[in-house]
Every structure is written in structure tokens, then in C-alpha cells.
Amino acid sequence: MRSFQERLPDFNARKIRVIAISVDTPQESQHLRQSAGYTFPILSDSQDNVIGRWDLVHAHGRQDGADISRPAEFLIDSAGIVRWANLTEDLRVRARPEQVLHAFDTATISNR
Amino acid sequence: MKRSWNPRTWLGFVLCLAALVSYPTFFARYPITRDFPWATLLLMALALYLVASGALRAFRRPDAYRGKIFGSILGVLSVAIVGLFLFGIFHLTRMLPASHGAPQVGQLAPDFTLPDSQGENVTLSNLLQSPFPTDGAAGAASGKTAAVVLIFYRGYW
């Protein structure tokens, strides 16, 4: 997410909102935002509601055995349609902001 | 003749440990050394070479070099460390669910409402329809939100 923070001006210029989601509580997310300097919102899905509906649950993925979200990135246009998605097969390999910006720039998403 | 100290095995072992530790603490911060850990693998190859050549030296010329026992122990430990790293990199981090039911490209993203880090409820469809927030510092122009990038991540604990 650090790389997305660094490229935030490029997302702002295209009027793309960057939103992160995890099972952390709002307090934990706020702590992360402050310590890491993230200025984009982080949403808290501590009950796995959205992660479950989106089929992104990594069962017992946390070291303490709790269910967490697998890493995944989605680009959603203003009509709510998924225009690009990345479901990594290796949790070390995440989407880079350039990939999302490229997908946006080539998908001719309405920017009016 | 006094047998000389055999620093190669020790140097190699220390390098092996350093390679293992530096991956999560340093190289994993940068996609170019994280996605494929070539830097770490190079360091580990060099470490194994040093340990192996040091141990071989001790076995071939025991009159000149010390370290037959330590060389063997450090050699086994170094191989174990490299094996552990390879197992983690090429197996453990790939144990992810297939997520066949995740929204596909072209599909409607299921709407949701979740609290942000201030406890304020945020709804996806509202984000998509509301004006893009103006940031005074960045001077970004206002207007319709063009898109939302959702980054699902594992969380910090």
C-alpha cells in the first residue's frame, strides 16, 4: 500500500479514489494510517461481511488462526462495474499502482 | 605448523543469516526485490559457496585449516536456512484461496457499507456517485469520482 500512497497524486489527477479494506478494527486501521502516513481511507470489515460476500476470505490466514482477507485489488468504475481485478496467487506479489493506472487509462472509463 | 583460523565458513554462515533476515526487513519493501527474490537468492548462493569452500578446505587440508566439525555443522545449518527460505517463498506464501466467487471484470461490484478508521460509515455506491474530494494541498480539481480502487489486504496484527 506504500506504493499506492506514493502514487496518490496520479490517482487524484484521474479522480480515482483509493480505498483499502482489511479485518482490522477502525482503531487498528487508524494506527496504521498514522504510523505509515497513509492518507487514503481504510475500511474495517472486522466481521468478514464484505470479504465473505466477495469470496476473499483466507480462512485461518492469520497466525492466531483468525480469518482474514486474501490480498486482492479491484478497479471499479462510476457505474459500479469491475473494470480490472487482481487476485494474486502469491501474497508477496501485489498489484502495483502502475498496473491500476494503466488499466484505467486504457479502459476508457468515463471521466466526465 | 599452527593451523589457521578458517573464517570462510563463519563468514558464509553469517551472510546466510543476514540474507534470510534482510528479506522481510529490507528487500520485501521493494517490489523489484520482493516479487522475485533475486537479491536474496544471490546472497544465499554466495553464502553457501563460502561455507562449502571453507568446510572443504578444512577436510582437504586439516593440517592447515581448522573447522572440520564447525564447518559441517554450519554447512548443514546454512542449507537448512536456504531450504526454509525457499519453502516459504515458493510454497507458504502461495497457499491462498482460489476465490472463484470474487467479482469478475465486467460484473457489478456488490455494494457494501463499512466503517472507516474514524468509525464513519462508508458506502461504495455513495463513493462512486459523490464528487471527488478536493484536496486543498494537492489542488486537485473537483468533479465526479471516476473510479474507486479497492485494496483488500491482510491487515496488521
Side-chain angles (χ1 to χ4, degrees):
Chain A
M1 294 199 291
R2 191 180 300 113
S3 58
F4 280 84
Q5 178 66 39
E6 286 164 3
R7 296 297 296 270
L8 212 50
D10 296 305
F11 287 95
N12 285 339
R14 292 166 174 81
K15 299 189 180 66
I16 307 172
R17 293 181 193 247
V18 175
I19 310 280
I21 301 176
S22 77
V23 298
D24 287 347
T25 64
Q27 292 77 14
E28 288 165 335
S29 298
Q30 183 61 13
H31 178 74
L32 173 67
R33 291 181 77 227
Q34 286 171 343
S35 60
Y38 296 152
T39 56
F40 50 81
I42 298 181
L43 307 185
S44 172
D45 189 18
S46 46
Q47 305 297 315
D48 295 343
N49 286 329
V50 176
I51 291 162
R53 255 192 305 145
W54 284 50
D55 193 19
L56 300 174
V57 174
H58 184 181
H60 316 301
R62 202 154 79 178
Q63 271 150 1
D64 65 3
D67 294 348
I68 57 173
S69 177
R70 65 147 29 249
E73 298 86 9
F74 298 88
L75 178 68
I76 299 160
D77 71 11
S78 55
I81 306 294
V82 177
R83 303 303 292 257
W84 176 89
N86 178 56
L87 292 161
T88 183
E89 292 177 351
D90 188 329
L91 59 85
R92 294 177 305 110
V93 183
R94 310 292 175 85
R96 303 187 191 186
E98 298 78 40
Q99 293 175 273
V100 184
L101 293 167
H102 180 75
F104 180 86
D105 292 343
T106 55
T108 63
I109 293 174
S110 167
N111 196 17
R112 282 171 293 145
Chain B
M1 133 181 179
K2 189 175 184 327
R3 295 190 304 165
S4 72
W5 182 241
N6 195 355
R8 255 191 223 185
T9 38
W10 287 98
L11 190 67
F13 180 67
V14 169
L15 184 65
C16 194
L17 276 181
L20 180 72
V21 171
S22 64
Y23 182 75
T25 57
F26 179 73
F27 289 119
R29 296 168 71 98
Y30 308 101
I32 195 164
T33 47
R34 178 185 62 222
D35 292 357
F36 184 79
W38 58 270
T40 304
L41 293 177
L42 272 180
L43 286 176
M44 287 185 165
L46 178 62
L48 287 184
Y49 167 76
L50 286 174
V51 171
S53 68
L56 279 178
R57 196 160 67 166
F59 275 99
R60 282 185 183 154
R61 299 180 57 200
D63 51 320
Y65 293 103
R66 294 148 61 124
K68 269 201 284 195
I69 294 172
F70 264 114
S72 309
I73 293 172
L74 294 181
V76 169
L77 282 178
S78 300
V79 169
I81 289 172
V82 173
L84 184 77
F85 180 73
L86 294 177
F87 178 73
I89 293 297
F90 293 110
H91 180 70
L92 286 186
T93 63
R94 298 187 181 191
M95 292 178 68
L96 288 173
S99 298
H100 292 304
Q104 310 273 313
V105 171
Q107 288 181 347
L108 191 66
D111 201 14
F112 60 79
T113 301
L114 287 174
D116 67 13
S117 58
Q118 315 288 333
E120 302 283 334
N121 275 339
V122 173
T123 300
L124 176 64
S125 54
N126 288 350
L127 285 180
L128 292 165
Q129 283 149 21
S130 61
F132 192 77
T134 52
D135 182 1
S142 63
K144 270 185 67 178
T145 295
V148 167
V149 185
L150 291 181
I151 304 171
F152 289 87
Y153 70 102
R154 296 163 55 77
Y156 292 80
W157 55 83

